[in-house]
Amino acid sequence: MTTDIGADWAAWQESWDRQQEWYLPDREERLRVMLDMVEALVGPEPRVLDLACGTGSITARLFERFPQAVSTGVDLDPALLTIAEGTFRGDDRVTFVTADLKDPDWPAKLPYDSYDAVLTATALHWLHSEPLAVLYGQVAELVRDGGVFMNADHMIDESTPQINAADSAQRHARMNLAKEAGVLGWTEWWQLAAQDPVLAEPTARRFEIYGEHADGDTPSAEWHARVLREKGFAESRAVWRSPSDALILALK
C-alpha cells in the first residue's frame, strides 16, 4: 500500500479490515451472527445505532445485507470517522455523529430518540467497568421495547487462567507468523495513516485524544449479561463465543 491512498476510501476500509482480522480471525463470523439476530428479532429494515462505529464496518455489512436499513454511526476518533464519512459520502441512509461516550449528554446528539438495534464490536473494552455500566443504562433508554443491543468484544473468564494462557499464547504465535508474512498490525497501520496527506491531521488528533491504546476492562460475558439486565433489558446472554471473545445480546 502506498501513502497516496488517502482518497481511496475502499482501500482504507480493506486495510482496516485486514488489520482487525490480524487480531480477530473470526471477525466476520461474529458480525454475521450479529446481523442474523437483528433479522430474527427486529426484521430486515432496522434503524440501527452503530456505537463506537470506527470506519463503519458494521454499517457496511448492515447495508450489504439489509439495503433498506438506516444507520447512525457515533464515534470520537477523528481519523476513523474521516474514513467512514469518505466511504459513505452521498449515502443518505447513514449519519455520522462525533461524540464522546463518556459524556453524559452524548445521546442528545443523535438524530433519533430510539433505535431498533444498537450494535457495537471490539470497541467498548476501551472503557472501565463503571463507565461501561453507565453507558449500558443510556443504551437501554435508546433501544425501543422489543429492540436489541449487541456487543461483540473481548470478554475474559478469569476462572480459567490456564485455558486463557494457552489461548493467548496460540493467538500471539499466529499473529507473529502473520506479521512476518507482511500483515500490518495496529502500530504499523496507524504509522501508515499518519503518513497519508488526508489522514495525517485527524490521526494526530486521534492520538491526542486516546494515546497509544486503551487501559479499559475486559469483564466476563456473564458480567455484561447481568449488568444489561440490571440496566433495564428483559433478557441477555451470549449468542456467540470464542475462547477470548463473546457476542452478548440484550433484548428490551
Side-chain angles (χ1 to χ4, degrees):
M1 186 188 303
T2 61
T3 56
D4 62 355
I5 198 172
D8 188 346
W9 303 119
W12 273 114
Q13 288 283 1
E14 175 74 12
S15 175
W16 176 257
D17 284 346
R18 298 294 80 75
Q19 180 259 124
Q20 288 288 285
E21 287 170 354
W22 181 60
Y23 294 96
L24 308 166
D26 46 30
R27 182 171 181 249
E28 294 300 328
E29 180 185 357
R30 70 186 68 190
L31 296 179
R32 177 190 59 78
V33 173
M34 179 181 282
L35 295 180
D36 283 348
M37 299 311 296
V38 167
E39 185 172 24
L41 288 162
V42 301
E45 299 183 14
R47 178 192 292 170
V48 169
L49 176 59
D50 187 349
L51 192 68
C53 65
T55 66
S57 296
I58 290 174
T59 292
R61 287 152 183 79
L62 176 76
F63 289 166
E64 182 178 351
R65 181 157 169 181
F66 307 124
Q68 302 304 312
V70 173
S71 180
T72 303
V74 60
D75 208 302
L76 186 61
D77 189 313
L80 298 185
L81 280 174
T82 296
I83 296 172
E85 289 165 351
T87 299
F88 295 94
R89 184 170 292 125
D91 191 334
D92 60 8
R93 295 174 296 177
V94 61
T95 303
F96 290 104
V97 174
T98 300
D100 184 348
L101 297 180
K102 291 183 286 187
D103 179 347
D105 296 325
W106 72 267
K109 296 184 175 183
L110 301 176
Y112 302 104
D113 293 330
S114 68
Y115 289 85
D116 301 310
V118 178
L119 309 177
T120 188
T122 325
L124 299 188
H125 63 273
W126 285 69
L127 297 176
H128 288 288
S129 298
E130 186 173 334
L132 180 56
V134 171
L135 178 65
Y136 278 173
Q138 293 173 304
V139 168
E141 294 294 319
L142 288 167
V143 175
R144 67 162 172 83
D145 288 347
V148 296
F149 167 69
M150 280 181 268
N151 178 17
D153 210 343
H154 312 312
M155 299 182 187
I156 306 300
D157 186 339
E158 299 293 351
S159 71
T160 58
Q162 294 182 77
I163 295 172
N164 298 350
D167 172 60
S168 178
Q170 184 181 57
R171 282 188 291 110
H172 282 90
R174 174 186 53 76
M175 290 165 66
N176 288 338
L177 286 173
K179 183 171 281 191
E180 290 172 6
V183 174
L184 290 179
W186 175 266
T187 300
E188 293 79 15
W189 192 91
W190 282 109
Q191 288 171 346
L192 194 65
Q195 296 166 15
D196 184 85
V198 176
L199 291 176
E201 190 274 334
T203 295
R205 285 192 285 121
R206 179 239 182 253
F207 279 95
E208 289 174 4
I209 294 169
Y210 290 109
E212 287 297 323
H213 210 282
D215 60 352
D217 299 331
T218 55
S220 69
E222 289 70 25
W223 180 93
H224 288 270
R226 173 180 58 79
V227 170
L228 285 162
R229 288 191 296 270
E230 290 172 355
K231 295 299 182 178
F233 287 92
E235 299 179 7
S236 59
R237 70 170 177 89
V239 292
W240 175 90
R241 289 185 188 249
S242 74
S244 60
D245 288 35
L247 169 60
I248 295 294
L249 185 154
L251 177 69
K252 185 75 177 288

